[in-house]
Amino acid sequence: MDLPTVWFVAIAVLWTGYFVLEGFDFGVGMLLPVLGRGSDADRRVVINAIGPVWDGNEVWLITAVGAMFAAFPAWYAGLLSGFYLPVLLVIVALIGRGVAFEYRGKVDDPRWRARWDAVIVAGSAVPAFTWGLVFANLLRGVELGPDGVVRSGLLDLLNPYALVGGLATLTLFVLHGAVFLALKTDGPVRHRARAAAGAAAPAAGATLFAFLMWTQADHASPATSVVAACAVGALVAGALLVARRREGWAFLATAVAIAATTAVLFGTLFPAVLPSLLDPAYDLTVHGAASAPYTLGILSWIGAFFLPVVVLYQSWSYWVFRRRVTRAHVS
């Protein structure tokens, strides 16, 4: 593969890592009022389950967007201009969620904590839905002119296909988060997490199946069809495994479902990075959006050094904080 294609694949891998890791963070945040309904101790168990890792998981987003800026500046510019409001909404939600994690315990007042808990829920649900909306619109295409300017408005982005994509990622992350909590906690929260996973699985399966089948109907290819089938199969397997109390395998299965869905998105998109609804001749392609070969060469050396460091550090942090969280740890 040439360097532009290599970097397209690298960016797909970075987004996959972000969705797999931050996906369960979003799911945990959305499930906070459900799984933590017993007491504030249970809510602290839910939050502490992701407390040591959630900010590290966001590094994958920063790296993915930074790589897009460096390797495909035209793609970065078109994406940020065409999806300015949704991306801004995601940024505000992520900031609010981070502040809420830090501030909810600063005042010993149930109403104070309840307000910040609501911010955590919203700060998790908004990105979970909006990322699906954005990537579905990337596949569908935007009103991209010959000058590279995206003319699609916010209402154009709220089309039925994109809304189904948003619901698919939202429900998939809820299931992923429930399975993670079943794996990471013990006691009442663990039991509720198993029940939540069972309740979320039908909705996640239905919306993911609808989105992937719609995608294949519009952009059919043998390779992505096989991967789409693997995504749905992994999701079903995850739901069955968590019901049988095999939380580790269940979490691996839902992670595979998310990774396979992301592979379908990028596999369907290639070789375009920003398709045009006005004329296929205006499509922004991998090679048309790429930086100069010299720049991509330098980036390749930087990525070859730093990516293993990030992976090793995160693997170490997950190993250190591998034990289950219980009420005893927050009392």
Side-chain angles (χ1 to χ4, degrees), residues 5 27 45 154 191 200 203-204 223 226 290:
T5 305
V45 167
L154 179 60
H191 299 307
V226 171

Side-chain angles (χ1 to χ4, degrees), residues 292-313:
Y294 177 74
T295 302
L296 294 178
I298 293 177
L299 288 175
S300 298
W301 285 106
I302 295 173
F305 176 78
F306 281 105
L307 184 58
V309 172
V310 172
V311 172
L312 287 173
Y313 170 75

Side-chain angles (χ1 to χ4, degrees), residues 14-15 19 32 36 41 103 107 172 194 205 208-209 212 247 322:
L14 291 172
W15 277 105
F19 287 143
L32 177 61
Y103 272 57
V107 177
L172 182 56
R194 287 200 202 107
L208 183 64
F209 180 81
L212 292 177
E247 291 97 348
R322 66 189 181 276

Side-chain angles (χ1 to χ4, degrees), residues 101-269:
F101 282 140
E102 299 295 333
Y103 272 57
R104 74 174 304 274
K106 298 298 184 182
V107 177
D108 187 16
D109 179 14
R111 290 176 298 179
W112 169 272
R113 290 192 293 267
R115 286 194 290 268
W116 287 115
D117 287 349
V119 175
I120 293 174
V121 175
S124 302
V126 168
F129 176 82
T130 306
W131 283 131
L133 183 84
V134 168
F135 275 88
N137 274 296
L138 276 180
L139 294 185
R140 176 177 177 267
V142 292
E143 295 181 3
L144 181 68
D147 53 0
V149 176
V150 177
R151 295 173 173 80
S152 298
L154 179 60
L155 293 181
D156 298 318
L157 303 180
L158 300 177
N159 55 81
Y161 174 69
L163 293 174
V164 172
L167 289 175
T169 52
L170 179 77
T171 54
L172 182 56
F173 291 162
V174 167
L175 174 61
H176 194 42
V179 173
F180 175 79
L181 285 173
L183 172 66
K184 186 62 177 162
T185 65
D186 211 343
V189 173
R190 183 183 183 187
H191 299 307
R192 295 187 198 121
R194 287 200 202 107
T207 54
L208 183 64
F209 180 81
F211 175 65
L212 292 177
M213 291 305 100
W214 196 337
T215 301
Q216 293 308 302
D218 291 343
H219 311 279
S221 84
T224 55
S225 296
V226 171
V227 178
C230 291
V232 176
L235 187 150
V236 173
L240 295 175
L241 286 165
V242 74
R244 297 178 181 180
R245 302 188 179 185
R246 303 294 299 274
E247 291 97 348
W249 289 106
F251 181 74
L252 177 62
T254 54
V256 169
I258 295 173
T261 301
T262 310
V264 171
L265 295 176
F266 281 90
T268 303
L269 191 60

